Amino acid sequence: MRACVPLIVAILFSLAWAGKLESCASRCDEKFQRDAACQCDRQCPRHGDCCEDYEHVCTGEEGPEEPEPFLELEEEPVEAPAGHLYSAPSSCRDRCHEAFDRHQPCHCDPRCPEFGNCCTDFESLCGHEGFSYSSDAITKEELQSISEKIYRADVNKAQKADIILNSQNRISPSETRDQVDRCPEPLFTYVNEKLFSKPTYAAFINLLNNYQRATGRGEHFSAQQLAEQDVFLREVMRTAVMKELYGFLRHQNRYGSEQEFVDDLKNMWFGLYSRGNEEEDSSGFEHVFSGEIKKGKVTGFHNWIRFYMQEKEGLVDYYSHIYDGPWDSYPDVLAMQFNWDGYYKEVGSAFIGSSPEFEFALYSLCFIARPGKVCQLSLGGYPLAIQTYPWDKSTYGNGKKYIATAYVVSSTQ
């Protein structure tokens, strides 16, 4: 009988533990539990797997707290030189137009003259920029307003019937390093490829195969490939999405003409720089939209069209996802794990069903308004944040930065 006691205790303990995992008592805001019968994490309402007492136990009158954002895993911030965006914080060199940052000892934002906290070289370095001090500082509210306008203007986005997505298994962030394929089926069950005949889609797709994905190998463009960059810029600038963006930035005194804006977009996105071996082997466009391989890992690759086309060719194997956005129409957001022809992406976020001009506009907006910082936007009434980073080892024009990367970093309920 004594030998049975430990077994009975173990069984009772297991039953008690199982009971715990069917309730949210002492489990509010815990991480996703794969073995639990139901969940109490902050995203369970979105996924429909909350315990029955979640609402009673975990939400008060003010509702649940915002869930922790997922973080994109990119190597640029880690490898960026110590100087980063503010190599000379006591100077306005390369800082004209930057947003106010209370951590800086002096400032170069358009309103610093009003508050008497400009850096000593503000007048000489930034005076020629044509600031209208009352209107050049882009506020969070203005970013949210323009992003909603861009969202509504995206008439070329996919409709619900255009894409059938099979997201399958959701995992916890702690499982992303396992490199385990938990999804036997492709991510895309169906895509209406008639979308790809639209001018901006066709121009975008023509660019994707113009790059060598391995860093350290120089990029050399033919005359046709350079012309394809111009075609893409011309087509996106014809859209309501980019007209909204340009109108906003011109009102903010960031650009004096559409041609100036287009020229800057071409430089920041398509200008080449070196991620390794002193070769001009990379650009913002290649990194963000096409994807690269560096040190045996996938970097960048944040575009659903590229993902679909590579998956269709058998080059991408979808493993799992850790986040599925709250939008019930396109564009949506998915943060996923996948293998790209032998190389793993631990966390890769992408808009799903958006037009090329939509992504191009939002990433450009955030890079111009919040370079190197989190950019708080609003899409369809839901908050969304984008992180951009500038490339600091080389510049174009009067010290302007190329885009190193841009991606969705968080989205909350």
Side-chain angles (χ1 to χ4, degrees):
M1 180 65 183
R2 288 183 180 176
C4 296
V5 172
L7 179 60
I8 293 171
V9 171
I11 292 172
L12 290 174
F13 180 80
S14 297
L15 289 172
W17 177 246
K20 272 188 175 182
L21 293 185
E22 292 179 1
S23 168
C24 283
S26 303
R27 294 176 60 205
C28 296
D29 298 333
E30 72 172 8
K31 293 182 179 179
F32 176 79
Q33 297 283 345
R34 173 173 295 277
D35 297 325
C38 55
Q39 304 297 327
C40 305
D41 64 308
R42 296 175 181 179
Q43 294 192 36
C44 72
R46 185 177 303 155
H47 296 277
D49 56 2
C50 299
C51 297
E52 289 185 5
D53 59 357
Y54 172 81
E55 196 165 327
H56 173 70
V57 175
C58 298
T59 66
E61 291 182 2
E62 297 180 358
E65 297 179 10
E66 289 188 348
E68 294 181 3
F70 65 82
L71 296 179
E72 226 348 311
L73 299 177
E74 294 283 349
E75 61 187 35
E76 283 77 19
V78 177
E79 295 194 345
H84 197 49
L85 189 60
Y86 308 112
S87 56
S90 61
S91 167
C92 281
R93 184 169 301 280
D94 296 333
R95 293 176 60 202
C96 298
H97 290 299
E98 79 169 9
F100 175 78
D101 183 347
R102 62 187 177 86
H103 298 295
Q104 297 294 354
C106 62
H107 303 279
C108 307
D109 61 288
R111 299 189 66 186
C112 71
E114 297 177 33
F115 297 96
N117 56 8
C118 300
C119 297
T120 55
D121 57 3
F122 174 82
E123 196 73 38
S124 60
L125 292 179
C126 302
H128 68 282
E129 299 284 347
F131 280 148
S132 171
Y133 297 136
S134 62
S135 64
D136 264 18
I138 300 178
T139 67
K140 177 182 176 181
E141 290 73 24
E142 287 173 324
L143 284 174
Q144 292 175 333
S145 175
I146 185 58
S147 58
E148 286 287 3
K149 290 179 180 178
I150 289 171
Y151 178 76
R152 291 192 295 270
D154 189 14
V155 296
N156 286 330
K157 66 184 178 183
Q159 301 303 308
K160 200 69 176 174
D162 288 329
I163 298 175
I164 299 176
L165 205 65
N166 185 11
S167 56
Q168 302 166 79
N169 283 332
R170 172 185 167 223
I171 65 172
S172 68
S174 63
E175 296 175 287
T176 59
R177 295 185 179 183
D178 296 347
Q179 300 193 32
V180 176
D181 186 355
R182 296 179 172 89
C183 298
E185 302 297 326
L187 174 61
F188 290 95
T189 300
Y190 168 77
V191 171
N192 179 6
E193 294 192 4
K194 289 182 180 178
L195 286 169
F196 301 159
S197 64
K198 294 183 177 184
T200 56
Y201 284 80
F204 175 80
I205 290 169
N206 283 341
L207 293 171
L208 294 177
N209 291 323
N210 291 350
Y211 300 97
Q212 303 182 73
R213 68 177 187 172
T215 59
R217 298 174 61 185
E219 301 288 357
H220 304 283
F221 299 124
S222 66
Q224 179 181 339
Q225 290 171 330
L226 291 172
E228 287 170 353
Q229 296 174 6
D230 293 329
V231 170
F232 173 74
L233 290 169
R234 183 172 67 246
E235 292 299 338
V236 296
M237 288 303 300
R238 289 174 174 169
T239 66
V241 163
M242 291 298 288
K243 290 184 185 300
E244 284 283 0
L245 177 60
Y246 170 64
F248 173 77
L249 293 173
R250 176 151 192 191
H251 178 72
Q252 295 286 337
N253 293 329
R254 296 305 175 98
Y255 297 97
S257 69
E258 185 172 311
Q259 189 58 54
E260 180 188 355
F261 178 47
V262 172
D263 290 345
D264 201 29
L265 289 173
K266 185 170 184 179
N267 279 311
M268 72 173 70
W269 279 105
F270 294 101
L272 292 174
Y273 50 81
S274 174
R275 290 185 192 261
N277 298 338
E278 304 303 320
E279 293 277 352
E280 290 189 328
D281 60 356
S282 186
S283 68
F285 186 93
E286 176 185 8
H287 181 87
V288 173
F289 296 111
S290 184
E292 297 180 298
I293 302 297
K294 184 173 183 180
K295 297 181 179 178
K297 294 182 179 180
V298 178
T299 63
F301 202 135
H302 300 292
N303 180 255
W304 75 271
I305 299 170
R306 175 68 162 169
F307 191 102
Y308 165 72
M309 297 181 78
Q310 292 285 285
E311 186 177 62
K312 185 180 177 182
E313 291 183 28
L315 298 175
V316 161
D317 185 3
Y318 171 65
Y319 277 17
S320 54
H321 72 281
I322 61 169
Y323 174 82
D324 190 353
W327 296 271
D328 56 9
S329 61
Y330 297 117
D332 202 345
V333 173
L334 196 69
M336 52 197 164
Q337 295 67 53
F338 59 91
N339 185 295
W340 184 25
D341 198 23
Y343 299 93
Y344 183 61
K345 180 72 172 178
E346 192 171 317
V347 182
S349 62
F351 287 105
I352 304 294
S354 54
S355 68
E357 61 265 29
F358 175 83
E359 296 180 49
F360 195 69
L362 289 191
Y363 291 147
S364 299
L365 168 66
C366 287
F367 184 73
I368 293 166
R370 298 287 190 271
K373 299 180 181 179
V374 174
C375 178
Q376 302 288 346
L377 307 179
S378 178
L379 301 182
Y382 292 98
L384 176 136
I386 285 174
Q387 174 77 59
T388 65
Y389 284 100
W391 185 254
D392 287 315
K393 298 178 182 179
S394 56
T395 60
Y396 68 92
N398 184 27
K400 290 189 173 184
K401 308 283 187 177
Y402 299 105
I403 293 175
T405 191
Y407 51 85
V408 179
V409 290
S410 70
S411 188
T412 56
Q413 292 177 330

